[in-house]
Amino acid sequence: MKIRLPLFLTLLLFAILPVGAQPEGNLGKQLRELDRVIANREVYAARREGQFEEIKRRLAHGSLSPEERFADYGRLFNEYLSFQIDTAIHYALLKKELALGTGDSLKILETDLNLAQIYSIAGLNQDAFEILNAMSTRHFTPFLRSYYHNIYSILYENVYQSIDNPELKRHHYELLHDAYTNLLGSQSPDEDGSSYYYTKANLLNLENRHSEAREWLETNAERMNTDMREEAIYYYLLAETCIHGGGTREEAERFYVRSAIIDLETGIKEYVSLHRLAQMLYADGEINRAYRYLKVALEDANYCNSQKRLVKVSQLLPIIDNDYQIRRNRQQRNLYISLSFLALLVVLLIAALTYINKLYRNNRRVGLRLVALNNELKELNSHLSESNLIKQTYIVRYMDFCLSYIDQMDSRLKRIARLLDGNNRDALRKALDPAAFARENLELFYNNFDITFLKLFPSFVEEYNKLLKPSERIVLKAPDALTTELRIYALVRLGITDSVQIAQFLHCSLSTVYNNRTSARNKACVDRSRFEHFVARIGIAEEIGIDGLK
């Protein structure tokens, strides 16, 4: 049974738990790296936003020229373009206000293009088209012309991707093709750098020349990967090329992962690669990971307020949720079947377990009784050993005290005899003073008692003080001299708890005993009602811990 039960449970777990395709090799390592980056994405976003603060402080200073202020507004606009659209619009409007104030027509055109660009990214295509259609391109600089055609290509791509009707799609294919062609014609490798190569790759992909597009991208890789953002776009375009026939599906996934990692590490919130990767993982059967990635993409799109991206991401969520429910229902059915088999196993085990449990309880009762008897025997042995030690010690001390008393009486009688011979009445009267005699012998008794008790219980004073509040603890005037309070509780430790007996033993008044016992309880840092119980346990190692008791 001990061998078969784990095997059964292992098979049961395989039947119950969801089994999905787990990526292996390089893709698996890349996905784990992506998971790590996603876990830290807010750190990257905060670091990115922190880079804006220097520009904001410079703008708040108020000593900048209009040219410098316009340039800083432009930098913030570009930074927020892929981070937070509302803020990017704010800086675009500030740029436009400044441009209108200076009356510089080229700056006004640039700010209009800024607004059109951000509207195209936000999915406000109609507003962007209105701005572009109202513009005159006659006075455009090469930069503005390229910028203008770039925005048109974004808008036509937005429309092209959203159309399902074949006739309309063919028409907008032509419009998008013209937009890419015009954009490419307005660019040059020297002036536009990586944008030129991206445009050429997009045009080749649009024309279904995917192998040529991949060769173009890989040939010009060094010219395109000028910074992390450009590198993310490069890997995204490679993935798009592969997914449409320019490579394998696994290559596309690896390129999407690489692009998504760089997107998140740069701290941007407006991106495509993670969403595309989630779609592919969902198709591969990795529903949990796809859902997790899609949720991250949705959160970032919502933070960025990119309506276009929100719509695209939201379209996939119901599909994944529906598939998740189907899989969950199937798992529940498997669970029901597995539990039925498990119930049969439980029925077979109950009888054996009941019998074993009965034997165990009987053995346990016997074991507990033996342990209790053993503990009682140990305690009795401990008390007997302690009693024997106390008896032996006090017998020896009693004999020493008797011999000392005999010597004392001998010396006293010899002294009285000398005084009688010398007829010294005053000295004789003083030697025979009963109060002085009693006081002298009482001090001798106290001294012997203190020495004997502390020999038996050397840690008594220290342990006793642990039962008192720190401010009330007793400090001995001499190492072997107990106070009245300590002598009273020394007798309690020896088992003498009656106040009358204690008063007689210590040769003091009953009120002195009562007052000292009451005062000690009031000074205790433990439960007053159990104070004398703790005192009676002093010296027993099992009962006294570091703080005085357990």
Side-chain angles (χ1 to χ4, degrees), residues 240-258:
E240 289 287 297
T241 301
C242 290
I243 200 68
H244 291 103
T248 65
R249 181 180 178 82
E250 184 179 352
E251 285 180 313
E253 287 180 336
R254 286 195 289 107
F255 290 140
Y256 277 136
V257 172
R258 186 63 192 146

Side-chain angles (χ1 to χ4, degrees), residues 71-131:
D72 280 345
Y73 285 151
R75 292 188 189 96
L76 289 173
F77 167 78
N78 289 328
E79 293 294 344
Y80 276 105
L81 196 61
S82 56
F83 187 74
Q84 202 169 51
I85 286 177
D86 291 342
T87 308
I89 292 174
H90 169 72
Y91 285 112
L93 292 173
L94 287 177
K95 277 184 71 178
K96 184 166 185 177
E97 181 182 351
L98 192 59
L100 290 171
T102 61
D104 189 324
S105 59
L106 291 178
K107 284 186 171 60
I108 294 171
L109 288 172
E110 181 181 335
T111 57
D112 286 340
L113 289 172
N114 288 159
L115 289 170
Q117 180 186 13
I118 202 163
Y119 290 157
S120 69
I121 292 173
L124 303 174
N125 297 334
Q126 188 61 39
D127 295 324
F129 272 123
E130 288 178 5
I131 293 174

